[in-house]
Amino acid sequence: MPRIAARLALALGLTALLALGLASAWMAWQTHQQRAATPGFTALAVLPDRSVWLSVNQELWHLDARGHPQTRVSARDTGLPSAPHRLATVASQSLYALTPGLPEVAVLDTNTGRLQRRIALQWPADLKTSFDTRTADLAVAPDGRIAIAQGAARGVLLFDAQGALLARTDPRALALPTSLWWDDGELWVTDAGQHQLLRLSGNTLAVKQAVQLSTKVATRHTVHGVEHPRAGIDVHAPVATLIRLEPDGPTGLVTYEWPDGMEIGQDIGPKGQPRDLAWVGETLLVLENLELRLLRFDVDRRGLGDFGDMTVQRWLEQAFQARERLRRAQWAWAGGAALSLLLMLGLAGTLLRRPAANAPEEHTNERALRWLDENPAWQAVQLEQESVRDTIELSAPEGDLWLILSNRRLVAFHVDGQHTLPRGAWHRTDVVEVELTPPGKTPWRWRLGHRRKPACGLRLRLNDGTVLQGGAQSQDTAERMATVLRLGMPPAPPSTHPPAATA
């Protein structure tokens, strides 16, 4: 009954650990989903009055030119299914947005952020199912024409203000367009696939100029870019400011690109994660997503401090702390699920293991007894008038042993899978040392894969130096064999020490 109660307790513990592991895994997944819904910064746009619209987590923020908050509204309240992935603007009353889950261009009010209308783009037949806002960028011309850089389609498409298709790039011209902007009636586009910056005709989208990006930096994947404020004015000025990321993650840097391919990086920290950028006059604003900061730099790449007043900084700090709590919670739940799994495996092994104590000897020593009848290795070496007195199986890291104690000898076999090989045979009086190790105190590390933990350890040393040792499943058999072998051992030599003096 005690053994049944113990195994029932193990089964209940296994069930509890399984439930705990599943609950922890579910919570880890839910926390992961919450983190995915709060990605931090996603988009940035600057209005003609130098006020700024930001997409932060699932909200839209409107800050004036001095960084004071004007509007804070959730994406759902604006009429969008989620936070915009890209923002663009050309007029004081029009804010254009690309949003995941919305296969159209959304036009928002620049004061309230509310959805005003949607522009359905007339995609070519071969691209109708490939439009993905997550790999797209848009730029809007002063006359309302909309240019879309579509990474999945490997091209740039031009639409009029109502969404009618006007032109598309040659399929061979671009490999992976990721960002574009208008410049005096022409389009600049970044091609991350060919590591180029291309200038296109604003009407036909034909390639007019190509700038090969620098290969001196490890950050190769260009994800976003804007025109430099002095491009076309100063012949020594860069033509563009780009975000270039490491191939395997969100970490990257901001770079300045010259027409001859020269490139200079902007220091935003060794682990900076730039998400978007824009020039506000001659001040560069960078959305840094690792610490949720609005970084500012002047035209000479000097830092100007973070953008936004104390209220905005408090909002960003709250968003950062919320994201950190979710990150820690996800790892904690995932760790709890992993720990529950490990404990569950340990309990399952204990539950499936045959009991070593209080089991009948014929069960704990069944393999050694069965081998006497089924294994021809013993019959091959058995002598005339030799009878078996005891047999036992010993398991150890160096190999399993099968010992047979007859009325005349101690015979040992090495057992390896299906093979049984003779190890040696000795007269019973050749045994000079017998040692029994109590349960749980075997001196060797137990091997994974055995049926169960040994009940005790048995170690035999013979007069030729041979040592036979291992874990025995049957403590009764090991004790009986040790007793018989000790009877045949020579008596211990008398002590040479004089008896202790008595008072």
Side-chain angles (χ1 to χ4, degrees):
M1 289 299 294
R3 186 169 68 244
I4 296 176
R7 294 175 71 82
L8 179 59
L10 285 175
L12 292 176
L14 182 63
T15 303
L17 284 174
L18 176 61
L20 179 61
L22 291 176
S24 298
W26 184 82
M27 288 300 298
W29 171 251
Q30 290 296 314
T31 310
H32 170 75
Q33 294 293 91
Q34 293 177 37
R35 288 186 65 189
T38 54
F41 293 126
T42 55
L44 166 67
V46 178
L47 296 175
D49 63 358
R50 297 192 178 185
S51 65
V52 174
W53 274 96
L54 303 172
S55 176
V56 187
N57 291 327
Q58 295 302 319
E59 296 181 331
L60 286 172
W61 298 0
H62 184 204
L63 313 181
D64 66 16
R66 300 177 61 185
H68 301 309
Q70 303 297 305
T71 304
R72 181 179 180 179
V73 61
S74 70
R76 294 284 184 178
D77 289 341
T78 65
L80 299 175
S82 60
H85 174 71
R86 280 287 183 259
L87 292 173
T89 184
V90 292
S92 59
Q93 299 300 320
S94 299
L95 181 66
Y96 294 77
L98 287 180
T99 304
L102 185 65
E104 302 165 325
V105 175
V107 182
L108 311 177
D109 183 86
T110 56
N111 292 316
T112 64
R114 304 288 179 176
L115 179 65
Q116 293 181 323
R117 58 191 176 93
R118 298 178 179 180
I119 302 176
L121 304 179
Q122 298 178 10
W123 291 93
D126 59 323
L127 299 181
K128 283 184 178 180
T129 60
S130 64
F131 178 58
D132 185 359
T133 58
R134 294 171 297 180
T135 61
D137 191 19
L138 82 161
V140 184
D143 60 3
R145 287 179 299 159
I146 301 172
I148 298 287
Q150 172 63 334
R154 298 186 177 183
V156 173
L157 296 96
L158 183 63
F159 303 88
D160 66 16
Q162 287 72 44
L165 180 65
L166 300 176
R168 62 186 295 185
T169 53
D170 188 305
R172 299 166 296 179
L174 299 169
L176 185 61
T178 54
S179 183
L180 75 170
W181 62 92
W182 288 94
D183 178 21
D184 291 335
E186 295 182 328
L187 277 169
W188 283 93
V189 57
T190 60
D191 187 353
Q194 302 181 85
H195 311 300
Q196 289 182 332
L197 183 61
L198 303 175
R199 183 165 60 92
L200 310 179
S201 166
N203 296 316
T204 66
L205 300 184
V207 177
K208 301 182 67 174
Q209 181 183 355
V211 177
Q212 190 68 39
L213 299 181
S214 173
T215 59
K216 294 182 180 180
V217 292
T219 48
R220 297 291 298 167
H221 187 65
T222 305
V223 297
H224 198 50
V226 292
E227 178 189 8
H228 191 275
R230 293 185 180 178
I233 300 175
D234 185 349
V235 294
H236 301 294
V239 294
T241 309
L242 307 180
I243 291 177
R244 306 187 69 190
L245 301 183
E246 300 287 350
D248 56 349
T251 303
L253 72 157
V254 174
T255 64
Y256 298 84
E257 306 293 335
W258 274 260
D260 60 358
M262 185 178 73
E263 179 176 275
I264 295 179
Q266 175 71 63
D267 183 18
I268 61 170
K271 297 182 179 180
Q273 297 179 5
R275 278 289 182 89
D276 206 344
L277 75 171
W279 284 97
V280 185
E282 291 197 347
T283 298
L284 178 64
L285 183 60
V286 179
L287 305 186
E288 199 286 304
N289 205 49
L290 177 65
E291 298 180 344
L292 288 182
R293 297 177 60 190
L294 302 173
L295 303 178
R296 291 189 305 161
F297 304 93
D298 65 15
V299 74
D300 296 317
R301 297 183 291 114
R302 292 188 294 262
L304 299 177
D306 291 5
F307 182 65
D309 64 7
M310 294 299 296
T311 299
V312 174
Q313 297 306 318
R314 186 175 68 254
W315 291 352
L316 292 174
E317 177 65 20
Q318 292 170 350
F320 176 79
Q321 293 299 333
R323 188 177 66 180
E324 286 300 292
R325 285 194 296 270
L326 287 174
R327 181 184 64 83
R328 290 191 295 266
Q330 180 182 350
W331 282 106
W333 286 118
L339 180 60
S340 298
L341 176 61
L342 291 176
L343 293 175
M344 186 172 60
L345 291 176
L347 275 183
T350 303
L351 187 63
L352 296 176
R353 186 182 302 149
R354 298 180 182 180
N358 301 323
E361 185 177 359
E362 61 269 19
H363 290 167
T364 56
N365 200 35
E366 62 176 342
R367 289 219 301 179
L369 293 171
R370 188 176 70 249
W371 285 342
L372 282 175
D373 298 328
E374 301 176 358
N375 198 321
W378 164 242
Q379 286 79 7
V381 300
Q382 187 177 16
L383 302 177
E384 292 186 10
Q385 298 182 351
E386 184 177 22
S387 59
V388 176
R389 181 162 184 170
D390 241 326
T391 182
I392 197 169
E393 175 195 1
L394 300 180
S395 300
E398 59 269 17
D400 294 347
L401 294 174
W402 175 30
L403 303 185
I404 297 177
L405 180 63
S406 73
N407 58 340
R408 301 169 59 180
R409 297 184 299 168
L410 175 67
V411 183
F413 297 93
H414 177 72
V415 181
D416 182 14
Q418 300 296 324
H419 304 288
T420 304
L421 305 176
R423 172 72 183 274
W426 300 267
H427 194 273
R428 287 168 52 174
T429 59
D430 292 336
V431 180
V432 296
E433 183 181 346
V434 178
E435 180 183 356
L436 272 175
T437 306
K441 296 184 178 180
T442 52
W444 52 85
R445 184 176 296 174
W446 190 241
R447 289 190 300 164
L448 183 65
H450 280 300
R451 296 175 298 160
R452 59 179 180 265
K453 189 176 180 180
C456 65
L458 177 63
R459 182 179 183 273
L460 308 178
R461 186 170 64 85
L462 302 136
N463 56 12
D464 61 359
T466 302
V467 176
L468 306 173
Q469 66 177 354
Q473 302 294 336
S474 172
Q475 186 172 356
D476 292 337
T477 307
E479 290 176 348
R480 187 172 59 250
M481 183 176 286
T483 300
V484 174
L485 290 173
R486 285 177 179 143
L487 291 175
M489 291 170 52
S495 174
T496 58
H497 299 283
T502 57

